[in-house]
Amino acid sequence: MVKAVRGMRDILPEQTRRWHQVERSILATLASHAFEEIRLPLLEYTELFARGVGEATDIVEKEMYTLADRDGDSLSLRPEGTASCVRALQEHGLLYNQTQRVHYSGPMFRYEKPQKGRYRQFYQIGAEAYGFAGPDMDAELLLLAWDCWHALGIQDRLRLEINTLGSSKDRAAYRDALVAYLEPIQGQLDEDSQRRLLTNPMRILDSKKPETQALLEGAPRLPDFVDAESREHFEKLQQLLDQVGIPYRVNANLVRGLDYYTRTVFEWLTDDLGAQGAVCAGGRYDGLVERLGGRPTPAVGFAVGLDRVVLLHELAEPKTAFAPADIYICVLDESLMGTAMALSQRLRSHLEGQRIRINIGGGALKKQMKRADAAQANWAILLGDDERDLGSLTLKHLRNAEFGQQRLVWQQALDQLND
Ligand code: ATP
Ligand code: MG
């Protein structure tokens, strides 16, 4: 038997219920903030991510699924959504002289070490805003995320950390200062950090190695390099968060793995998922559009890790009823199958949102009732010769003995089923 590829898991019917619930809730919150959906391809030219995400990031260096198209072009499965989003808006002329508030969702692909909450195909919902330079949009996005957690009932399991990286000039100055500090002692750094010293030195701050962290103690500090304007931006953001009552903590060591961030960065973290603590991450990336060939356009956004949100939702609400059907139609005579199908059609048009399963494959009444039970339906409809003209229906309530079995005229039957 051929098995699923490592890190690419199946989401089975019993779980898709919860996934729908979570996705619907987040999409409804996005809609309530008047963000609009954009759908993006899974494959892009590799160059898009090399430029957009950054050559020296873990994602581009070692996590991408890259393949050659039949004509030799290098394509990659998207490891994240922001680069594609910028590419699409830019390509369709939707950035220049206008603002955009969009969201995307779907699978992302990264070659990582699979474990609980970390997969090679995983799912994100992202929200991004373009053309807004001020901290008010940073706050609006954080409020949007906060509203998502509330709608899902997981707000108490998440905490917000924020930081500012300053302008790209500040970042460059800090980078130089950090390199100047680390170069003389580079022999003592771990292997990964030695490599990063040449490619992406700020990522060394992210190192989990205690020896490296010890070496960093006397290093120049990022907040000392942040310019007045970025500091003001950051202060205004904090004021807004205070005013709307979103709790947060400033973490001066929060840098983010991706290359493109400027000014605000943030993460929503949980202690409930072991090592996979980040549930949503984002920030401002005012330089990205230009870097991908467009005119300078301020941008800010975040991505929610859906797999992890679903795990949190499971903790918050362990039991969700999983019933495949609401109504089960038993067909008591083979010659009534056509009538039964017509009935199911008519019922579906009158009973919005109810899931109606029709007995397929014949069988004695007892067997059909067993199937109705297995489908955990509330109602069985018994269709026999007497109901052939559909003027009346025989309903059996499968969970309410008091109702038992009753023959009702059509409208009465509908009223019962709608109840
Ligand atoms: P991590 O530190 O966990 O690797 P990241 O910084 O690489 O996360 P981002 O690129 O910022 O993650 O993606 C945003 C969110 O997507 C993360 O906060 C996380 O919830 C989720 N995510 C990222 N990679 C994975 C993965 N391999 N499996 C499941 N979820 C993921
Ligand atoms: Mg990662």
Side-chain angles (χ1 to χ4, degrees), residues 59 110 112 117-119 122 124 256 278-281 303 305 307-308:
I59 291 183
R110 295 183 195 175
E112 320 198 44
R118 186 177 297 281
Y119 312 98
F122 62 101
Q124 289 185 336
R256 300 278 313 125
V279 167
C280 169
D307 311 72
R308 296 180 192 176

Side-chain angles (χ1 to χ4, degrees), residues 11-23 322:
I11 299 171
L12 300 174
E14 197 158 341
Q15 301 159 301
T16 52
R17 266 300 183 77
R18 189 185 294 281
W19 277 78
H20 278 170
Q21 207 181 329
V22 167
E23 285 162 353
F322 174 66

